[in-house]
Amino acid sequence: MKITVIGTGYVGLVTGTCLAEMGNDVLCLDLDENKIRILREGGIPIHEPGLQDMVQRNVASGRLKFSTDIAESVAFGELQFIAVGTPPDEDGSADLKYVVSAARNVGKYMTDYKIVIDKSTVPVGTGDKVRAAILEELAARKLETPFDVVSNPEFLKEGAAVEDFMRPDRIVIGADSERAITAMRELYAPFIRNHDRVIVMDVRSAELTKYAANAMLATRISFMNELANLADDLGADIEQIRVGIGSDPRIGFHFLYPGCGYGGSCFPKDVQALIRTADEGGRRLKVLHAVEEANEAQKHVLLDKIRSHFGSDLRGMTFALWGLAFKPNTDDMREASSRVVIEGLWDMGARVRAYDPVAMDETRRIYGNDDRLSYATSPQDALTGAEALVIVTEWKEFRVPNFDAIKSSLKNPVIFDGRNLYTPSQMRKRGIEYFAIGRR
């Protein structure tokens, strides 16, 4: 199949590359000339395990191409995936200007039947706006060229996006045209050979499904964080509670790990957008308002523990920080808890010496050459001259460190663990003061 993917961000690049991997001819469009140059030279503008090799392999085979030419991209594919950004507007709603602009370009240049597929995370009703934009451009050209609009939300986890796309647990298709549904089934058939995972529904339900999924996962995280804080107050252990409730098959273990708050490009933005969508319709989503409030508060929990132990005047102190990305296996710093911790330590007069396996360059881009933040070459290097260790991201290399080296390097043998990587009893035996989230 011949496919155009509009946008080479996280979703667009993964989508285009994985579709090419299955033998399709894919053209990825982006108006950012520097990004297209990087892709043509064999690089990728994001960090995603396994993606760069796949991009290079499919470019070499001729199945994956990149362009900045809008007319060329519209002419190329019968399937036109819109995978552009939908950043939060000032009021928290999703900004659809890039989605509508992409739709207008399709209407401006199309000469034959197209299936226009919303892959971006968009609020309910976006399919109608995409259809209206295309019809308006066709009317201006005095054409009645047929097309269909489909909602095909992505369910990709950063750090595992390639695996998620190649082995999907479900494929949601929102459409009201049998022609479009048949084409989408054909497109995804190679990805679901062992059993059918395609779920067909109307466009609006598909749009809401994406927001509902992320909102549910964010709710589970915030609920566990609230319970962990209560466990701290009551002298209970949240890890034992997690096992106790996760063993119930109606609940399960996924997304029941407490920590120092969720971040990234999806959960915060999507929760806000769903809240805004409901507000516009006169319905207040009380649970999601609480989820958002709880998450913002949770990002300050480590700072509260540090303040409780060392006081609020940290002038002259340096803290080692392990982890900058909002989660492992990505360099994404959007809404990352590390940013709250760094800036909170600065407000109390401290300096920070940080280490992350892949997010150092992104951190430099955000904070520049601020002399209150220095960058270590390794986890051990970050400890040098530090008062205590603060852990924000659960990278695998942090799970089994040399605790004797940690204890000897720190001025105070203290760890503030925002991801509950270690066992409190073992830390106590090693002579390390250990402050985790809801662990006794």
Side-chain angles (χ1 to χ4, degrees):
M1 302 179 79
K2 298 192 73 173
I3 301 159
T4 293
V5 178
I6 305 166
T8 60
Y10 203 92
V11 174
L13 186 57
V14 171
T15 297
T17 304
C18 290
L19 290 174
E21 180 76 1
M22 285 299 186
N24 298 291
D25 290 325
V26 179
L27 175 67
C28 291
L29 171 77
D30 204 293
L31 302 184
D32 187 331
E33 294 182 357
N34 184 56
K35 189 181 289 186
I36 294 299
R37 177 187 58 78
I38 291 171
L39 289 163
R40 285 173 172 169
E41 291 174 355
I44 59 173
I46 60 175
H47 177 86
E48 177 60 38
L51 183 60
Q52 184 162 2
D53 289 343
M54 192 180 284
V55 169
Q56 293 173 346
R57 181 166 63 249
N58 284 281
V59 168
S61 73
R63 291 190 300 269
L64 181 61
K65 304 179 184 68
F66 302 99
S67 176
T68 58
D69 189 325
I70 296 173
E72 177 191 13
S73 74
V74 175
F76 185 85
E78 178 178 307
L79 279 67
Q80 300 271 323
F81 279 89
I82 297 179
V84 296
T86 54
D89 217 333
E90 290 182 4
D91 61 2
S93 62
D95 188 343
L96 297 177
K97 63 183 177 185
Y98 301 115
V99 172
V100 173
S101 176
R104 287 193 177 282
N105 285 334
V106 173
K108 192 177 296 183
Y109 292 103
M110 63 185 286
T111 57
D112 54 5
Y113 174 74
K114 302 292 181 185
I115 302 174
V116 182
I117 305 154
D118 280 330
K119 197 69 175 171
S120 303
T121 300
V122 294
V124 175
T126 301
D128 296 336
K129 294 179 180 179
V130 166
R131 184 182 298 279
I134 295 172
L135 286 172
E136 189 175 322
E137 293 298 328
L138 288 174
R141 298 167 61 200
K142 295 181 171 55
L143 295 176
E144 295 184 358
T145 310
F147 68 94
D148 285 309
V149 175
V150 172
S151 175
N152 177 218
E154 53 85 16
F155 299 99
L156 307 177
K157 299 186 295 292
E158 289 193 39
V162 171
E163 177 69 14
D164 286 347
F165 199 103
M166 299 301 285
R167 301 175 185 272
D169 51 22
R170 81 280 205 197
I171 297 166
V172 173
I173 296 171
D176 54 13
S177 158
E178 284 301 321
R179 182 177 181 181
I181 293 169
T182 299
M184 295 298 289
R185 285 188 178 277
E186 180 183 346
L187 176 68
Y188 282 115
F191 297 90
I192 52 173
R193 293 184 65 190
N194 57 346
H195 71 273
D196 190 3
R197 295 184 177 89
V198 172
I199 304 169
V200 178
M201 59 185 72
D202 64 273
V203 173
R204 284 180 168 247
S205 295
E207 291 170 339
L208 185 53
T209 295
K210 167 63 176 182
Y211 279 117
N214 278 354
M216 173 61 79
L217 297 177
T219 299
R220 286 172 67 98
I221 293 171
S222 283
F223 175 73
M224 284 303 290
N225 285 337
E226 292 276 82
L227 279 186
N229 297 337
L230 180 61
D232 265 338
D233 295 341
L234 300 178
D237 191 324
I238 195 63
E239 176 61 17
Q240 296 179 39
I241 297 164
R242 183 187 70 81
V243 174
I245 65 174
S247 301
D248 185 331
R250 297 170 301 175
I251 298 173
F253 288 101
H254 293 298
F255 285 82
L256 287 188
Y257 291 92
C260 51
Y262 62 74
S265 62
C266 293
F267 287 4
K269 176 174 70 71
D270 292 355
V271 168
Q272 289 177 11
L274 188 52
I275 288 172
R276 181 61 182 171
T277 296
D279 287 347
E280 289 174 349
R283 180 172 297 280
R284 180 177 173 83
L285 297 180
K286 300 174 185 176
V287 171
L288 290 192
H289 278 281
V291 166
E292 187 177 42
E293 181 183 348
N295 188 61
E296 287 306 306
Q298 197 68 19
K299 292 181 179 181
H300 294 267
V301 164
L302 284 178
L303 292 171
D304 293 339
K305 292 178 182 292
I306 293 169
R307 190 180 293 108
S308 178
H309 187 76
F310 286 107
S312 57
D313 185 356
L314 305 181
R315 285 176 292 183
M317 296 184 182
T318 297
F319 286 80
L321 185 72
W322 283 3
L324 293 163
F326 87 93
K327 63 178 283 189
N329 300 319
T330 181
D331 62 350
D332 196 339
M333 291 279 291
R334 285 173 287 186
E335 303 286 341
S337 299
S338 62
R339 298 175 67 166
V340 174
V341 172
I342 289 170
E343 292 163 21
L345 288 170
W346 286 351
D347 288 343
M348 289 186 281
R351 296 168 57 87
V352 176
R353 184 163 175 77
Y355 172 78
D356 188 286
V358 302
M360 306 277 259
D361 288 342
E362 179 64 9
T363 309
R364 289 188 181 95
R365 186 191 68 79
I366 294 168
Y367 291 116
N369 296 318
D370 196 305
D371 60 8
R372 295 172 296 178
L373 177 61
S374 58
Y375 299 92
T377 57
S378 68
Q380 185 62 37
D381 180 42
L383 304 174
T384 305
E387 209 74 35
L389 169 62
V390 185
I391 302 174
V392 179
T393 313
E394 62 273 34
W395 286 95
K396 288 181 179 178
E397 65 184 273
F398 301 158
R399 292 183 182 178
V400 191
N402 185 330
F403 290 108
D404 291 336
I406 291 175
K407 186 176 179 182
S408 63
S409 298
L410 294 173
K411 292 182 178 179
N412 294 280
V414 181
I415 296 177
F416 298 93
D417 184 358
R419 299 301 174 186
N420 290 357
L421 296 184
Y422 314 130
T423 304
S425 60
Q426 291 299 316
M427 295 297 97
R428 188 166 58 251
K429 289 178 182 178
R430 294 177 181 276
I432 296 174
E433 287 191 89
Y434 184 63
F435 300 93
I437 309 294
R439 298 302 309 275
R440 189 173 60 190

